[in-house]
Amino acid sequence: MVVAGIDIGAITTKVVLMNEQKIESYVVIKSRVGINQNARECFEQVLQNSGYQRKEVTSIVATGYGRINVPFAHKCITEITCHAKGAYWLNPAVRTIIDIGGQDSKVISISESGQVIDFMMNDKCAAGTGRFLEVMAQALEVALEDLGDLSLQSKKKVHISSMCTVFAESEVISLIADGYRKEDIIRGLHEAITNRIYSMVVRLPITDVIALTGGVAKNRGIILSFKKKIKKKLYLPPEPQIVGAIGAALLAHDLAK
Amino acid sequence: MGNIINSDLKDRIIISLAQSSFTYKLIRKVGSYYFRKSDSSFLFWLNFYTRQLEIAYQQKKPVVWASIFTPSELLYALDLIPLYPEMISASVASLNLADYFIETAESNFYSPDLCSFYRVASGMSLKNCLPRPDMVISTSLLCDGSVKFFQNVSRYYGCDYYLIDPPYERNQGSRKYLVNELKKLVQWVSKRTNEQFSSIKLRKALELANQSTLLIKKINQIREKVPAPLSGWNALAYQLYMYFASLGSRDGLNFYELLAREVKNNAIQDKGVVERECIRILWLHQLRPYYPNIIWQIMLDYKAVIAFEEINQVFWLEYDLTQPFSGLADKILANPGAGSLSRRISSIENLIKKYKIDGVIHFNQRGCRQSCGGASMIKDYLKAKGIPMFILDGDGIDKRNYSEGQTRTRLEAFFEILSQNR
């Protein structure tokens, strides 16, 4: 049975195509304004890559903030449930998921059978999200993808006190003007994000194993910062950005059964 | 310049409309036509609410601005026209008009951190869109923001303010102290109205309140039935208004007679609020968002219903008409939200059992610090008992603190958890 999961995030759109619970193909593209069009393009691309026809896909589940705007999906399910499903499928030892997406970050607690027990999400500001790092990368004039490696070269800790994206941007600019090294500032930013998310993590039971998902989980500086802070086994999926879409595809499979 | 003229004109129109009897008559006329298919209890409320505002503008009797936890029974016994600014703010928000008054308040140095119910009421005062109070009475019960707000109101209008400040513990000493405070309040009002206090009127008001309370108890008992015969979403709106503003009045009794009939009829016909009801929710905290929002629609999508809400409990005893002040004092002290959090938790547990609750939603209204502060502890307690609880951060009035997408994701995820548990 061929199924698809579509995760419409604030920054990226992800589609995963599965056949009998095996990933056939996946695509990650930048999200643009027209959610429906975006989803269609991404879906077409994944079909092209896998060689399947549209009619062969029996069930589609949409997730992510744009989920309600995908008319060709059979069902919408929240990213909380989808991330839980995806992470548990990838590693059944996972009991906590920290997902840091473009627009929000969430901590999900799951049971031994993989069901969501509880979850926490950031409040409505961008602190502790991918968007926060994007803005900071612009202020520092470095590529977003380079933030992780640069922070690993840090020699000195710089404390970032503002978590408001606008204020933190000004703080970063002031630190640059004061002669602080970019590498140290970036490390400070990563630690600020980690601390912010950690305050949500401790509201739920902290268990082994914790999965780190979402685009920000590709940042090696963030991974290191979390490892130091949480002191628990971290599970890093091979492609952390598509965990929600995998979960959506698995749920599409359950739906079609 | 053009903007100034426009904004002056807008102000003048709004003030004229707010102060004109014609407006309230028109609302009643249009409302009763527009909502002709609605429940008769709703139409009764609309009539009651607009009449109260209209009478307050006519100032035939002294107008008192009171906080919602001030016992209305006593205000009716004292022959005052009570106005509850918090609830007026809620109705303004439901008409999507709160922004205008919030802007007014904030541009006059009211902090955005102040509870939005009070920001709207302050903005309405500043725009002269509320009937002037002759006196102000509030309690510090549950709501910590109310004390400063009502004190400020009294200063703004140049009228006197009486604060009922109940003790933390519910014991004999507290009761004695509060009885004394209530008796002092009666003298305080009499001095300002030049009217002799009538113990007959007090007994009458308490008798009416007893009759209404009996009906509320009956309604609450019928509400234990599955499917839920009454919408908790409405119970948090106009029914809540009557719960705070009508006890002790003939109108209150008439309202609850109507409501009891409606609920009973629904129960007899097995008519639920939601078709094929799947999820029963207990709504914690006394408020909900009053501006247009998607919460109710999401509940309908998941076949979820607010089976009961914490605020509509009857936690006080029938008034002993021979000891009226003692009964009133005990009503204030018996509020499960007051005192130790364990009292509130025990009442919540009781409601969960009684109303066969699947999950609990605690609406964290930003301005209600005393309630939000305990939400996590309640959640931890219920979690240990295996009852899922979701804390919905939000604002009852200020829609700038509402994000549709985030509310949808959080609520849907909670309903997904509840659905998987079934």
Side-chain angles (χ1 to χ4, degrees), chain A residues 147 190 254:
Chain A
L147 286 178
H190 289 161
D254 293 350

Side-chain angles (χ1 to χ4, degrees), chain A residues 67-68 76-81 103-104 115-124 203-205, chain B residues 302 366 376 379-380 383 389-390 400-403 406 408-410 412-414 416-417 420-421:
Chain A
R67 64 188 177 280
I68 56 168
C76 300
I77 297 176
T78 65
E79 50 270 43
I80 313 274
T81 302
Q103 180 172 265
D104 55 38
Q115 294 199 318
V116 178
I117 303 169
D118 203 353
F119 65 92
M120 298 284 293
M121 283 178 82
N122 65 317
D123 53 30
K124 61 180 182 166
R203 289 293 307 136
L204 300 174
Chain B
Y302 283 85
R366 283 168 77 103
S376 293
K379 181 174 174 175
D380 288 345
K383 191 193 263 182
M389 173 170 148
F390 167 60
R400 295 175 304 181
N401 292 323
Y402 165 75
S403 155
Q406 296 209 343
R408 178 183 288 281
T409 297
R410 284 158 172 76
E412 288 188 350
F414 183 62
E416 283 167 7
I417 292 176
Q420 87 193 352
N421 289 350

Side-chain angles (χ1 to χ4, degrees), chain A residues 34-88:
Chain A
I35 291 173
N36 180 17
Q37 185 59 23
N38 225 14
R40 273 185 201 284
E41 272 177 34
C42 205
F43 183 55
E44 292 301 330
Q45 215 172 311
V46 89
L47 286 176
Q48 215 171 9
N49 294 353
S50 61
Y52 284 102
Q53 298 292 311
R54 168 70 185 86
K55 60 184 178 198
E56 289 177 273
V57 183
T58 48
S59 176
I60 301 169
V61 164
T63 188
Y65 98 101
R67 64 188 177 280
I68 56 168
N69 293 311
V70 184
F72 58 95
H74 298 100
K75 196 170 182 184
C76 300
I77 297 176
T78 65
E79 50 270 43
I80 313 274
T81 302
C82 290
H83 272 274
K85 186 87 177 172
Y88 185 78

Side-chain angles (χ1 to χ4, degrees), chain B residues 196-215:
Chain B
Q196 189 73 33
F197 167 66
S198 157
S199 52
I200 298 169
K201 279 187 180 169
L202 180 59
R203 272 205 299 276
K204 185 70 202 160
L206 295 192
E207 209 178 334
L208 285 168
N210 276 344
Q211 289 169 330
S212 297
T213 307
L214 211 62
L215 288 168

Side-chain angles (χ1 to χ4, degrees), chain B residues 136-361:
Chain B
V136 178
I137 302 171
S138 82
T139 82
S140 58
L141 184 68
L142 295 183
C143 181
D144 54 341
S146 75
V147 179
K148 278 287 159 201
F149 166 77
F150 283 100
Q151 190 182 34
N152 189 46
V153 166
S154 82
R155 201 180 54 177
Y156 180 76
Y157 286 103
C159 59
D160 292 331
Y161 171 47
Y162 192 94
L163 171 68
I164 306 166
D165 194 16
Y168 183 78
E169 300 286 352
R170 185 188 181 194
N171 54 35
Q172 204 48 42
S174 300
R175 197 172 290 113
K176 204 173 154 191
Y177 165 81
L178 208 48
V179 164
N180 203 31
E181 289 295 292
L182 294 173
K183 283 182 178 169
K184 277 201 278 186
L185 167 64
V186 165
Q187 288 164 8
W188 182 87
V189 173
S190 295
K191 208 171 146 190
R192 277 150 189 85
T193 55
N194 294 320
E195 290 282 337
Q196 189 73 33
F197 167 66
S198 157
S199 52
I200 298 169
K201 279 187 180 169
L202 180 59
R203 272 205 299 276
K204 185 70 202 160
L206 295 192
E207 209 178 334
L208 285 168
N210 276 344
Q211 289 169 330
S212 297
T213 307
L214 211 62
L215 288 168
I216 302 175
K217 277 185 180 171
K218 191 177 153 193
I219 293 164
N220 290 354
Q221 198 185 353
I222 301 172
R223 291 183 69 187
E224 291 171 27
K225 201 176 178 298
V226 181
L230 181 97
S231 161
W233 195 244
N234 287 343
L236 284 158
Y238 72 93
Q239 289 159 30
L240 192 65
Y241 185 98
M242 297 306 276
Y243 176 88
F244 285 124
S246 79
L247 292 187
S249 69
R250 171 66 57 189
D251 282 334
L253 181 58
N254 293 342
F255 171 81
Y256 282 111
E257 279 170 353
L258 277 177
L259 187 63
R261 210 172 303 144
E262 285 163 14
V263 178
K264 195 177 162 191
N265 284 344
N266 286 348
I268 290 169
Q269 293 167 32
D270 258 339
K271 191 175 153 194
V273 177
V274 174
E275 262 184 63
R276 296 195 299 277
E277 176 186 301
C278 287
I279 298 171
R280 290 172 69 82
I281 294 291
L282 173 68
W283 189 275
L284 298 187
H285 193 29
Q286 56 263 42
L287 309 161
R288 65 163 171 86
Y290 293 101
Y291 43 80
N293 64 78
I294 52 158
I295 297 171
W296 180 235
Q297 186 52 53
I298 291 173
M299 294 189 103
L300 289 177
D301 292 346
Y302 283 85
K303 312 240 172 278
V305 66
I306 299 174
F308 200 68
E309 50 302 312
E310 180 184 25
I311 194 65
N312 278 315
Q313 294 178 79
V314 174
F315 49 80
W316 62 96
L317 298 171
E318 186 181 346
Y319 293 120
D320 174 354
L321 301 185
T322 61
Q323 291 184 315
F325 289 101
S326 181
L328 286 167
D330 205 49
K331 182 182 179 183
I332 294 172
L333 290 169
N335 193 309
S340 157
L341 188 64
S342 57
R343 270 170 65 179
R344 188 172 173 213
I345 289 178
S346 136
S347 109
I348 290 167
E349 260 192 300
N350 184 31
L351 295 176
I352 288 170
K353 276 186 212 131
K354 204 187 255 186
Y355 291 95
K356 301 160 206 74
I357 295 298
D358 298 304
V360 177
I361 295 179

